[in-house]
Amino acid sequence: MIVVGPFLNGSFYQPSAFLIKGIPGLEALHHWISIPFCALYIIALSGNCMILFLIKKTPSLHEPMYYFLSMLAVTDLGLVLCTLPTTLGIFWFNVRRIGFDACLTQMYFIHILSFIESSVLLAMAFDRFIAISHPLRHPSILTRTTVTKIGVAILLRAVVSLLPLPFLLKRLTYCGKTELSHSFCFHPDIMKLACADIKVNVLYGMIILLSTVGMDFIFIVLSYILIFKTVIRLATKEECLKALNTCVSHICAVLVFFIPMIGLSMIHRFGKNAPPLLNTLVAYTYLIIPPALNPIIYSIKSSQIREALLRALQRKSESDW
């Protein structure tokens, strides 16, 4: 029997809603704290839309590297749109309730988009390896069709591997406590509220994380080991620096994404005594900082993106006149 109410006598219980929270201990300052969050969201939305616009409108950017960058921009936009309503809702209006099914849906898409971002970063590392190690074969290896197939494979892997998560959570019985640790829904956070045995959830979550994001990170590291071996064999120092310079923006994007993600995973699994504020700040860093920084990183480090942006601004100013 399903009871929507207090937990009684071991009966199956699912709460109608969960309670989300903002930044613990700083609730009175939420309106002020919302200002930098709004700025980050605006930067992320406008920056990633700008990247997509420039890639679409600039024929010289119709290359594998920039196709993968457009995938990264779409993924970052998805992450921003997943967390923005609940985060700003609690900062602006103190809206703390999120429906049970809505929470599972948000959680599912947050994890899917995170896994997609990890896979896209791996694809970008592969692109850099081919471009540096086999420059003459690069156009024939990474054709537009191949890039499309890689994109579809990335999407399917994330969707299929994470499909069981909501169902594994729906089968659990929950206790009276319904308060989550963040202003968004996260799988480890939800399952800790259950009264039932969560070994299956823990095991499945760990297997999926290691076999997807974990493997992606290992292959990214291996790609750069091979890239550095190739670069070392180049004749001149200038050639070495030129080859490595094409990887700087990608390396920054990898570090910005994986460092907070690994930190958040470690806190949820091993940091039982970690301060709640640390947990919250790492979670926000993981979900908000990469979408905001990636467009800036690529705009600064990619001369082609900068040139396309300057041409677009120039055309805009000429049309205004």
Side-chain angles (χ1 to χ4, degrees), residues 132-133 224-237 239-247:
I132 292 173
S133 301
Y224 274 102
I225 290 173
L226 296 174
I227 287 171
F228 290 141
K229 285 184 176 180
T230 302
V231 168
I232 289 171
R233 293 198 295 266
L234 294 177
T236 66
K237 183 179 179 181
E239 289 177 330
C240 292
L241 293 175
K242 184 178 179 180
L244 289 175
N245 190 53
T246 64
C247 301

Side-chain angles (χ1 to χ4, degrees), residues 92 262 313 316:
W92 285 350
I262 293 171
L313 292 174
K316 179 70 168 60

Side-chain angles (χ1 to χ4, degrees), residues 58-258:
T58 310
S60 62
L61 298 181
H62 294 176
E63 299 176 0
M65 174 182 174
Y66 296 103
Y67 290 143
F68 289 129
L69 179 57
S70 64
M71 293 181 195
L72 187 68
V74 170
T75 305
D76 284 338
L77 283 173
L79 278 172
V80 167
L81 294 174
C82 276
T83 60
L84 185 150
T86 51
T87 300
L88 294 187
I90 196 168
F91 285 158
W92 285 350
F93 310 109
N94 197 31
V95 177
R96 299 192 60 203
R97 286 174 59 86
I98 180 171
F100 183 81
D101 290 331
C103 186
L104 295 188
T105 301
Q106 185 191 48
M107 174 215 70
Y108 182 60
F109 280 103
I110 286 175
H111 286 297
I112 279 181
L113 292 165
S114 297
F115 280 29
I116 289 175
E117 181 142 352
S118 169
S119 300
V120 171
L121 290 171
L122 173 59
M124 296 173 83
F126 177 69
D127 169 71
R128 290 299 83 209
F129 166 68
I130 298 297
I132 292 173
S133 301
H134 308 283
L136 298 179
R137 297 175 57 197
H138 181 255
S140 60
I141 293 174
L142 283 175
T143 62
R144 184 175 297 186
T145 301
T146 303
V147 171
T148 302
K149 289 179 179 178
I150 291 173
V152 172
I154 287 172
L155 178 62
L156 288 176
R157 185 180 78 152
V159 171
V160 173
S161 62
L162 291 169
L163 189 60
L165 279 190
F167 300 101
L168 288 174
L169 290 171
K170 284 184 75 71
R171 71 183 179 88
L172 297 175
T173 294
Y174 293 84
C175 303
K177 187 179 178 182
T178 59
E179 186 176 48
L180 301 173
S181 302
H182 309 293
S183 61
F184 56 86
C185 298
F186 196 60
H187 175 252
D189 205 20
I190 298 173
M191 71 181 181
K192 288 178 182 178
L193 300 180
C195 299
D197 186 358
I198 60 171
K199 289 180 181 177
V200 174
N201 296 69
V202 173
L203 182 61
Y204 186 79
M206 187 173 295
I207 290 173
I208 291 300
L209 186 65
L210 293 176
S211 63
T212 53
V213 177
M215 293 303 296
D216 290 345
F217 183 73
I218 290 172
F219 283 123
I220 288 171
V221 173
L222 290 175
S223 296
Y224 274 102
I225 290 173
L226 296 174
I227 287 171
F228 290 141
K229 285 184 176 180
T230 302
V231 168
I232 289 171
R233 293 198 295 266
L234 294 177
T236 66
K237 183 179 179 181
E238 289 73 18
E239 289 177 330
C240 292
L241 293 175
K242 184 178 179 180
L244 289 175
N245 190 53
T246 64
C247 301
V248 171
S249 53
H250 178 255
I251 293 172
C252 292
V254 168
L255 295 176
V256 165
F257 175 75
F258 278 101

